[in-house]
Amino acid sequence: GCKGKVSAPAIAPVAPVLAEGQEIAGIQDLVREIYGHCVPGQKPITWASKQGQAGQSQATLTITFDGSEYSGDFAQNQGLAKRLAARAAWEALKGVGGGGEE
């Protein structure tokens, strides 16, 4: 959620590593840090999921501010699938793991 105006210093710095189980909170914080602005009533992230073989789920996360999408690997349940998608987005936005030199 977004309450009123968010001033930059009020946002805690985003951790350099993403803790196991904290992926969704981590990507939400990172999106707020990068995109900064808050549109009332607009979620920073939307989710879509699809079913794979053997009941597995894959989640896709969309950053509503610019429409960029990130998908995780298939996982045994939707909760884990969302975490994998959040981690993929987090790593892409942070430029972690490959992605070339700056």
Side-chain angles (χ1 to χ4, degrees):
C2 219
K3 296 174 189 77
K5 289 187 176 166
V6 179
S7 57
I11 301 173
V14 172
V17 293
L18 195 55
E20 196 71 33
Q22 295 299 309
E23 294 89 349
I24 292 171
I27 190 60
Q28 288 172 335
D29 288 346
L30 184 59
V31 166
R32 277 191 211 102
E33 181 182 274
I34 291 172
Y35 294 89
H37 58 327
C38 220
V39 179
Q42 183 184 37
K43 293 187 172 92
I45 293 167
T46 58
W47 296 95
S49 61
K50 65 179 182 186
Q51 293 299 116
Q53 295 180 337
Q56 292 194 315
S57 293
Q58 181 186 37
T60 299
L61 165 168
T62 303
I63 296 173
T64 53
F65 296 124
D66 65 4
S68 53
E69 291 187 354
Y70 302 92
S71 294
D73 293 327
F74 281 95
Q76 57 265 45
N77 63 60
Q78 199 169 347
L80 181 57
K82 280 184 163 185
R83 284 173 45 198
L84 292 174
R87 180 173 290 276
W90 193 91
E91 289 176 351
L93 291 170
K94 287 292 261 187
V96 195
E101 302 279 318
E102 291 257 313

